[in-house]
Amino acid sequence: MAAGSGTKSAERLYDMVVFGASGFTGQFVVEEVARAAAAAAAGEGPLCRGPLRWAVAGRSREKLRAVLERAAERLGKATLGAEVDVLLCDVGDAGSLAAMAKQTRVVLNCVGPYRFFGEPVVEACVENGASCIDISGEPQFLEGMYLKYNEKAAEKGVYVVGSCGFDSIPADMGVLYTRDKLKGTLTAVESFLSVKSGPEGVAVHDGTWKSAVYGLADEDSLKKLRKKIGYAPVPIVGAKLKKRGFLFYSREFKEYCIPFMGSDGSVVKRTQRYLHTELQETPVQYGAYVNVGGLGSVIKLMFAGLLFLLLVKFDFGRKLLIKYPEFFSAGRFTKEGPTQKQMDGTSFTMTFFGEGYSEGQDPQSGKPNVRICTEVKGPEPGYIATPIVMVQAAVSLLEDAASLPKRGGVYSPGAAFSKTKLIDRLNRRGVEFSVISKPEV
């Protein structure tokens, strides 16, 4: 069944609602939905069935109106007023969440940290037949929702898809793209993230920082949660992918790299487990890394990292980290978030090195004999790429219903979208997937 489908979808007022629209990330998501709606109205958009009907939701009517005005101004339109409704809705008020979910096919949830505010939205959507996507980089929240709501979502025919932002669609879909471009069997991939900034430097809003602080503080309960879910181990096919050390020098990039601390690794693993158990596809091993630069950057980073890991273990330390994000992150995380100039000057590239076995070779014996290199690149990851990716994921839920998993449920992005046109949609919006070097034997 399609998102919020059956007879219900005919009666639903909206295709999508942006919840938390006046938050820091939410305002950029609103702007991106407005772009998709304008393209649909001009008949050139991603939607083939006429206008996109949408609304914004949050606690303050004034703030929501202001966000719509800002989006209109930035898109060079007089107003978005008449065509976009404003819904008053609070994460602490279950009735208001239910009312929102009943009216739409998909909720784009921008209210984090999700470990504190995410579940009521998922519950309201599942109970009331709306699909729901978020941009969480919090494995604990994502896997907790799977444990609690997967069966119910499947019964209702709705899709709950987490990590539909920079965490973790470029990584998750990037691995699938690499697999599809290799002639033969892909068995292992490593990704390297590189973020380039202009003269103004790079900044991230402290909402992301908070999620990291709470996530690392609570790692033990993630282990317990995984025990409860009782994941079957994913078989290793092909040569075992070697784990790299905490810090290593990359000859390809001529800079130092460290493991990527975000949720990409766990999200890709969930996708690969799903594709293996449900669709009998060969699972791909995955390692995620980030390029950090020369020795100077490494020393700064190691100092900040050790301090962070020390403080995050104690209640008073967490309070300090949350109160002074700028100080403890060497200026990277701020309460104001990045300026427009900083965003305009920032871009990301994620490079994938894959290995596997050529057609006719048995991946269970011998060494990998083919390699491939692909990349995903795009604009500033947090507030330009993330809204693009989130909105196109929502469009895929609405438009590619026939290519979604047969049952509803709680999915990682790759599991939900592996058969859809999501990568084509992203390519058209400036998050570009490409092959750098053709598979070589």
Short mmCIF file of all heavy atoms in Angstrom, two decimals, residues 15-71:
data_model
loop_
_atom_site.label_atom_id
_atom_site.label_comp_id
_atom_site.label_asym_id
_atom_site.label_seq_id
_atom_site.Cartn_x
_atom_site.Cartn_y
_atom_site.Cartn_z
N ASP A 15 -0.45 16.44 0.82
CA ASP A 15 0.55 15.42 0.45
C ASP A 15 1.63 15.36 1.51
O ASP A 15 2.09 14.30 1.89
CB ASP A 15 1.18 15.77 -0.91
CG ASP A 15 0.15 15.76 -2.02
OD1 ASP A 15 -0.57 14.76 -2.12
OD2 ASP A 15 0.06 16.75 -2.77
N MET A 16 2.08 16.55 1.96
CA MET A 16 3.09 16.56 3.02
C MET A 16 2.89 17.73 3.98
O MET A 16 2.40 18.79 3.60
CB MET A 16 4.52 16.53 2.48
CG MET A 16 4.84 17.33 1.27
SD MET A 16 6.61 17.18 0.78
CE MET A 16 6.54 16.08 -0.63
N VAL A 17 3.30 17.47 5.24
CA VAL A 17 3.31 18.51 6.26
C VAL A 17 4.71 18.56 6.85
O VAL A 17 5.27 17.52 7.21
CB VAL A 17 2.28 18.21 7.38
CG1 VAL A 17 2.46 19.19 8.54
CG2 VAL A 17 0.86 18.28 6.85
N VAL A 18 5.28 19.77 6.92
CA VAL A 18 6.59 19.94 7.57
C VAL A 18 6.34 20.27 9.04
O VAL A 18 5.83 21.35 9.35
CB VAL A 18 7.39 21.08 6.90
CG1 VAL A 18 8.77 21.22 7.57
CG2 VAL A 18 7.55 20.84 5.40
N PHE A 19 6.69 19.33 9.92
CA PHE A 19 6.50 19.54 11.35
C PHE A 19 7.80 20.04 11.97
O PHE A 19 8.86 19.49 11.73
CB PHE A 19 6.06 18.24 12.02
CG PHE A 19 5.89 18.36 13.52
CD1 PHE A 19 5.08 19.36 14.05
CD2 PHE A 19 6.54 17.50 14.38
CE1 PHE A 19 4.92 19.49 15.43
CE2 PHE A 19 6.38 17.62 15.76
CZ PHE A 19 5.58 18.62 16.29
N GLY A 20 7.69 21.13 12.75
CA GLY A 20 8.91 21.78 13.27
C GLY A 20 9.45 22.73 12.23
O GLY A 20 10.64 22.97 12.11
N ALA A 21 8.50 23.31 11.46
CA ALA A 21 8.87 24.14 10.31
C ALA A 21 9.62 25.41 10.70
O ALA A 21 10.38 25.95 9.91
CB ALA A 21 7.62 24.50 9.51
N SER A 22 9.42 25.89 11.95
CA SER A 22 10.09 27.14 12.31
C SER A 22 11.42 26.89 13.03
O SER A 22 12.08 27.83 13.46
CB SER A 22 9.17 28.01 13.17
OG SER A 22 8.78 27.29 14.32
N GLY A 23 11.82 25.63 13.15
CA GLY A 23 13.12 25.33 13.75
C GLY A 23 14.24 25.67 12.78
O GLY A 23 13.99 26.03 11.62
N PHE A 24 15.49 25.54 13.24
CA PHE A 24 16.61 25.98 12.39
C PHE A 24 16.65 25.21 11.07
O PHE A 24 16.71 25.79 9.99
CB PHE A 24 17.96 25.87 13.12
CG PHE A 24 19.04 26.56 12.35
CD1 PHE A 24 19.18 27.94 12.43
CD2 PHE A 24 19.88 25.85 11.50
CE1 PHE A 24 20.15 28.60 11.67
CE2 PHE A 24 20.86 26.50 10.76
CZ PHE A 24 21.00 27.87 10.85
N THR A 25 16.57 23.87 11.14
CA THR A 25 16.59 23.08 9.90
C THR A 25 15.24 23.16 9.19
O THR A 25 15.18 23.22 7.96
CB THR A 25 16.94 21.61 10.20
OG1 THR A 25 18.14 21.58 10.99
CG2 THR A 25 17.20 20.83 8.92
N GLY A 26 14.17 23.19 9.99
CA GLY A 26 12.82 23.21 9.43
C GLY A 26 12.60 24.32 8.42
O GLY A 26 11.98 24.13 7.37
N GLN A 27 13.13 25.52 8.71
CA GLN A 27 12.93 26.66 7.79
C GLN A 27 13.51 26.37 6.40
O GLN A 27 12.96 26.79 5.38
CB GLN A 27 13.56 27.93 8.38
CG GLN A 27 15.06 27.81 8.61
CD GLN A 27 15.70 29.03 9.25
OE1 GLN A 27 15.17 30.12 9.15
NE2 GLN A 27 16.84 28.83 9.88
N PHE A 28 14.64 25.64 6.36
CA PHE A 28 15.25 25.32 5.06
C PHE A 28 14.46 24.21 4.35
O PHE A 28 14.40 24.17 3.12
CB PHE A 28 16.71 24.90 5.24
CG PHE A 28 17.58 26.00 5.79
CD1 PHE A 28 18.02 25.98 7.10
CD2 PHE A 28 17.95 27.08 4.98
CE1 PHE A 28 18.81 27.01 7.62
CE2 PHE A 28 18.74 28.11 5.49
CZ PHE A 28 19.17 28.07 6.80
N VAL A 29 13.87 23.31 5.15
CA VAL A 29 13.03 22.26 4.55
C VAL A 29 11.78 22.90 3.93
O VAL A 29 11.35 22.53 2.82
CB VAL A 29 12.65 21.19 5.61
CG1 VAL A 29 11.65 20.18 5.03
CG2 VAL A 29 13.91 20.47 6.11
N VAL A 30 11.22 23.90 4.61
CA VAL A 30 10.05 24.61 4.08
C VAL A 30 10.38 25.23 2.71
O VAL A 30 9.61 25.10 1.74
CB VAL A 30 9.60 25.72 5.06
CG1 VAL A 30 8.60 26.68 4.41
CG2 VAL A 30 8.98 25.08 6.31
N GLU A 31 11.53 25.86 2.65
CA GLU A 31 11.95 26.49 1.40
C GLU A 31 12.07 25.45 0.27
O GLU A 31 11.68 25.70 -0.87
CB GLU A 31 13.33 27.11 1.66
CG GLU A 31 13.69 28.23 0.73
CD GLU A 31 15.08 28.75 1.11
OE1 GLU A 31 15.28 29.18 2.26
OE2 GLU A 31 15.95 28.70 0.24
N GLU A 32 12.59 24.29 0.62
CA GLU A 32 12.79 23.22 -0.38
C GLU A 32 11.46 22.63 -0.83
O GLU A 32 11.27 22.32 -2.01
CB GLU A 32 13.72 22.15 0.21
CG GLU A 32 14.24 21.14 -0.78
CD GLU A 32 14.94 21.70 -2.00
OE1 GLU A 32 15.63 22.75 -1.92
OE2 GLU A 32 14.79 21.09 -3.08
N VAL A 33 10.50 22.48 0.12
CA VAL A 33 9.16 22.00 -0.28
C VAL A 33 8.51 23.03 -1.20
O VAL A 33 7.87 22.70 -2.20
CB VAL A 33 8.25 21.72 0.94
CG1 VAL A 33 6.86 21.31 0.49
CG2 VAL A 33 8.84 20.60 1.81
N ALA A 34 8.69 24.32 -0.86
CA ALA A 34 8.12 25.38 -1.70
C ALA A 34 8.68 25.30 -3.13
O ALA A 34 7.96 25.51 -4.10
CB ALA A 34 8.41 26.75 -1.09
N ARG A 35 9.98 24.99 -3.23
CA ARG A 35 10.59 24.82 -4.57
C ARG A 35 9.96 23.66 -5.32
O ARG A 35 9.65 23.75 -6.50
CB ARG A 35 12.09 24.53 -4.44
CG ARG A 35 12.91 25.75 -4.40
CD ARG A 35 14.40 25.46 -4.65
NE ARG A 35 15.12 26.59 -4.10
CZ ARG A 35 15.65 26.62 -2.88
NH1 ARG A 35 15.62 25.55 -2.12
NH2 ARG A 35 16.24 27.69 -2.44
N ALA A 36 9.80 22.52 -4.60
CA ALA A 36 9.20 21.33 -5.24
C ALA A 36 7.76 21.63 -5.67
O ALA A 36 7.31 21.21 -6.74
CB ALA A 36 9.22 20.15 -4.27
N ALA A 37 7.04 22.41 -4.83
CA ALA A 37 5.65 22.75 -5.14
C ALA A 37 5.58 23.66 -6.37
O ALA A 37 4.73 23.49 -7.24
CB ALA A 37 4.99 23.43 -3.94
N ALA A 38 6.53 24.63 -6.44
CA ALA A 38 6.56 25.55 -7.59
C ALA A 38 6.85 24.77 -8.88
O ALA A 38 6.24 25.01 -9.92
CB ALA A 38 7.61 26.64 -7.36
N ALA A 39 7.79 23.82 -8.79
CA ALA A 39 8.14 23.01 -9.96
C ALA A 39 6.94 22.16 -10.38
O ALA A 39 6.64 22.03 -11.58
CB ALA A 39 9.35 22.13 -9.65
N ALA A 40 6.23 21.60 -9.39
CA ALA A 40 5.06 20.76 -9.70
C ALA A 40 3.98 21.61 -10.38
O ALA A 40 3.34 21.19 -11.33
CB ALA A 40 4.52 20.12 -8.43
N ALA A 41 3.80 22.84 -9.86
CA ALA A 41 2.77 23.73 -10.43
C ALA A 41 3.11 24.10 -11.86
O ALA A 41 2.23 24.28 -12.71
CB ALA A 41 2.64 24.98 -9.57
N ALA A 42 4.43 24.21 -12.16
CA ALA A 42 4.84 24.57 -13.51
C ALA A 42 4.88 23.34 -14.42
O ALA A 42 5.26 23.42 -15.59
CB ALA A 42 6.22 25.23 -13.47
N GLY A 43 4.52 22.18 -13.85
CA GLY A 43 4.45 20.96 -14.66
C GLY A 43 5.81 20.36 -14.97
O GLY A 43 5.94 19.48 -15.81
N GLU A 44 6.85 20.82 -14.23
CA GLU A 44 8.17 20.28 -14.55
C GLU A 44 8.75 19.58 -13.33
O GLU A 44 9.91 19.21 -13.29
CB GLU A 44 9.10 21.41 -14.97
CG GLU A 44 9.30 22.40 -13.84
CD GLU A 44 9.70 23.79 -14.31
OE1 GLU A 44 9.34 24.18 -15.44
OE2 GLU A 44 10.38 24.48 -13.55
N GLY A 45 7.93 19.48 -12.30
CA GLY A 45 8.48 19.00 -11.04
C GLY A 45 8.51 17.50 -10.95
O GLY A 45 8.23 16.78 -11.90
N PRO A 46 8.83 17.03 -9.76
CA PRO A 46 8.94 15.60 -9.52
C PRO A 46 7.57 14.94 -9.42
O PRO A 46 7.45 13.74 -9.45
CB PRO A 46 9.64 15.53 -8.16
CG PRO A 46 9.31 16.83 -7.49
CD PRO A 46 9.15 17.84 -8.58
N LEU A 47 6.51 15.75 -9.28
CA LEU A 47 5.20 15.16 -9.07
C LEU A 47 4.42 15.13 -10.37
O LEU A 47 4.27 16.13 -11.05
CB LEU A 47 4.42 15.98 -8.02
CG LEU A 47 5.11 15.92 -6.66
CD1 LEU A 47 5.00 17.25 -5.95
CD2 LEU A 47 4.53 14.82 -5.81
N CYS A 48 3.92 13.92 -10.70
CA CYS A 48 3.24 13.83 -11.98
C CYS A 48 1.74 14.01 -11.84
O CYS A 48 1.02 13.86 -12.79
CB CYS A 48 3.57 12.51 -12.65
SG CYS A 48 3.98 11.20 -11.52
N ARG A 49 1.28 14.28 -10.62
CA ARG A 49 -0.19 14.35 -10.54
C ARG A 49 -0.65 15.70 -10.02
O ARG A 49 -1.31 15.79 -9.01
CB ARG A 49 -0.77 13.21 -9.69
CG ARG A 49 0.12 12.80 -8.63
CD ARG A 49 -0.38 12.08 -7.47
NE ARG A 49 0.57 12.30 -6.42
CZ ARG A 49 0.60 13.41 -5.68
NH1 ARG A 49 -0.26 14.35 -5.85
NH2 ARG A 49 1.52 13.56 -4.76
N GLY A 50 -0.21 16.74 -10.70
CA GLY A 50 -0.74 18.06 -10.37
C GLY A 50 -0.07 18.69 -9.18
O GLY A 50 1.00 18.29 -8.77
N PRO A 51 -0.74 19.69 -8.60
CA PRO A 51 -0.11 20.51 -7.57
C PRO A 51 0.23 19.70 -6.32
O PRO A 51 -0.41 18.70 -6.01
CB PRO A 51 -1.18 21.57 -7.27
CG PRO A 51 -2.47 20.99 -7.72
CD PRO A 51 -2.13 20.09 -8.87
N LEU A 52 1.25 20.19 -5.63
CA LEU A 52 1.65 19.58 -4.36
C LEU A 52 0.90 20.31 -3.25
O LEU A 52 1.01 21.53 -3.12
CB LEU A 52 3.17 19.75 -4.18
CG LEU A 52 3.78 19.29 -2.86
CD1 LEU A 52 3.65 17.78 -2.72
CD2 LEU A 52 5.24 19.68 -2.78
N ARG A 53 0.12 19.56 -2.49
CA ARG A 53 -0.65 20.20 -1.41
C ARG A 53 0.12 20.01 -0.11
O ARG A 53 0.42 18.88 0.26
CB ARG A 53 -2.02 19.54 -1.32
CG ARG A 53 -2.83 19.61 -2.63
CD ARG A 53 -3.92 18.56 -2.67
NE ARG A 53 -3.38 17.24 -2.33
CZ ARG A 53 -4.07 16.27 -1.74
NH1 ARG A 53 -5.33 16.44 -1.43
NH2 ARG A 53 -3.50 15.11 -1.45
N TRP A 54 0.43 21.13 0.54
CA TRP A 54 1.27 20.98 1.74
C TRP A 54 0.93 22.00 2.80
O TRP A 54 0.24 22.97 2.55
CB TRP A 54 2.75 21.03 1.36
CG TRP A 54 3.25 22.32 0.78
CD1 TRP A 54 2.93 22.88 -0.43
CD2 TRP A 54 4.20 23.22 1.37
NE1 TRP A 54 3.62 24.05 -0.62
CE2 TRP A 54 4.40 24.28 0.45
CE3 TRP A 54 4.91 23.22 2.58
CZ2 TRP A 54 5.28 25.34 0.74
CZ3 TRP A 54 5.78 24.27 2.84
CH2 TRP A 54 5.96 25.32 1.92
N ALA A 55 1.46 21.74 4.00
CA ALA A 55 1.22 22.64 5.13
C ALA A 55 2.46 22.66 6.01
O ALA A 55 3.34 21.80 5.90
CB ALA A 55 0.01 22.15 5.93
N VAL A 56 2.54 23.67 6.87
CA VAL A 56 3.59 23.72 7.89
C VAL A 56 2.94 23.55 9.25
O VAL A 56 1.79 23.94 9.45
CB VAL A 56 4.38 25.05 7.82
CG1 VAL A 56 5.19 25.12 6.54
CG2 VAL A 56 3.47 26.27 7.95
N ALA A 57 3.69 22.95 10.18
CA ALA A 57 3.12 22.72 11.51
C ALA A 57 4.16 23.03 12.58
O ALA A 57 5.36 22.82 12.38
CB ALA A 57 2.68 21.26 11.63
N GLY A 58 3.67 23.55 13.71
CA GLY A 58 4.55 23.87 14.83
C GLY A 58 3.73 24.55 15.92
O GLY A 58 2.50 24.59 15.84
N ARG A 59 4.44 25.10 16.92
CA ARG A 59 3.72 25.62 18.08
C ARG A 59 3.23 27.05 17.92
O ARG A 59 2.27 27.45 18.55
CB ARG A 59 4.63 25.56 19.32
CG ARG A 59 4.79 24.16 19.83
CD ARG A 59 5.66 24.12 21.07
NE ARG A 59 6.97 24.71 20.83
CZ ARG A 59 8.00 24.55 21.64
NH1 ARG A 59 7.87 23.85 22.73
NH2 ARG A 59 9.16 25.11 21.36
N SER A 60 3.94 27.87 17.10
CA SER A 60 3.62 29.29 17.06
C SER A 60 3.19 29.74 15.67
O SER A 60 3.95 29.64 14.71
CB SER A 60 4.85 30.10 17.51
OG SER A 60 4.84 31.38 16.94
N ARG A 61 1.97 30.22 15.59
CA ARG A 61 1.45 30.68 14.30
C ARG A 61 2.32 31.80 13.73
O ARG A 61 2.63 31.83 12.54
CB ARG A 61 0.00 31.15 14.46
CG ARG A 61 -0.71 31.40 13.13
CD ARG A 61 -2.15 31.82 13.33
NE ARG A 61 -2.99 30.80 13.91
CZ ARG A 61 -3.54 29.79 13.23
NH1 ARG A 61 -3.30 29.67 11.94
NH2 ARG A 61 -4.31 28.91 13.83
N GLU A 62 2.75 32.72 14.62
CA GLU A 62 3.56 33.87 14.15
C GLU A 62 4.87 33.37 13.51
O GLU A 62 5.26 33.80 12.45
CB GLU A 62 3.91 34.82 15.31
CG GLU A 62 2.76 35.65 15.84
CD GLU A 62 1.70 34.80 16.55
OE1 GLU A 62 2.09 33.88 17.32
OE2 GLU A 62 0.50 35.02 16.31
N LYS A 63 5.54 32.46 14.23
CA LYS A 63 6.82 31.95 13.72
C LYS A 63 6.65 31.20 12.40
O LYS A 63 7.47 31.31 11.51
CB LYS A 63 7.49 31.04 14.76
CG LYS A 63 8.14 31.79 15.90
CD LYS A 63 8.87 30.83 16.82
CE LYS A 63 9.50 31.59 17.99
NZ LYS A 63 9.96 30.65 19.02
N LEU A 64 5.57 30.42 12.30
CA LEU A 64 5.32 29.65 11.07
C LEU A 64 5.04 30.61 9.90
O LEU A 64 5.53 30.42 8.80
CB LEU A 64 4.16 28.68 11.27
CG LEU A 64 4.45 27.53 12.25
CD1 LEU A 64 3.16 26.80 12.62
CD2 LEU A 64 5.45 26.54 11.66
N ARG A 65 4.25 31.66 10.17
CA ARG A 65 3.98 32.66 9.13
C ARG A 65 5.28 33.32 8.68
O ARG A 65 5.52 33.53 7.49
CB ARG A 65 3.03 33.75 9.68
CG ARG A 65 1.61 33.26 9.83
CD ARG A 65 0.70 33.89 8.78
NE ARG A 65 -0.61 33.29 8.81
CZ ARG A 65 -1.03 32.34 7.96
NH1 ARG A 65 -0.21 31.86 7.03
NH2 ARG A 65 -2.24 31.85 8.03
N ALA A 66 6.14 33.63 9.67
CA ALA A 66 7.42 34.29 9.36
C ALA A 66 8.29 33.40 8.47
O ALA A 66 8.94 33.87 7.54
CB ALA A 66 8.16 34.65 10.64
N VAL A 67 8.26 32.08 8.74
CA VAL A 67 9.06 31.14 7.94
C VAL A 67 8.52 31.09 6.51
O VAL A 67 9.29 31.07 5.54
CB VAL A 67 9.05 29.73 8.59
CG1 VAL A 67 9.48 28.66 7.60
CG2 VAL A 67 9.97 29.72 9.80
N LEU A 68 7.20 31.12 6.36
CA LEU A 68 6.62 31.12 5.01
C LEU A 68 6.97 32.41 4.27
O LEU A 68 7.25 32.40 3.07
CB LEU A 68 5.09 30.94 5.09
CG LEU A 68 4.62 29.53 5.49
CD1 LEU A 68 3.11 29.51 5.68
CD2 LEU A 68 5.04 28.48 4.46
N GLU A 69 6.96 33.53 5.00
CA GLU A 69 7.34 34.81 4.37
C GLU A 69 8.79 34.78 3.91
O GLU A 69 9.13 35.23 2.82
CB GLU A 69 7.14 35.97 5.36
CG GLU A 69 5.72 36.51 5.36
CD GLU A 69 5.46 37.43 6.56
OE1 GLU A 69 6.39 38.14 7.00
OE2 GLU A 69 4.31 37.42 7.05
N ARG A 70 9.66 34.25 4.77
CA ARG A 70 11.08 34.17 4.44
C ARG A 70 11.30 33.29 3.21
O ARG A 70 12.06 33.64 2.30
CB ARG A 70 11.84 33.60 5.64
CG ARG A 70 13.33 33.39 5.41
CD ARG A 70 13.97 32.71 6.62
NE ARG A 70 15.35 32.35 6.37
CZ ARG A 70 15.74 31.23 5.79
NH1 ARG A 70 14.84 30.34 5.38
NH2 ARG A 70 17.03 30.97 5.60
N ALA A 71 10.59 32.15 3.17
CA ALA A 71 10.74 31.24 2.02
C ALA A 71 10.27 31.92 0.74
O ALA A 71 10.92 31.83 -0.30
CB ALA A 71 9.96 29.95 2.26
#
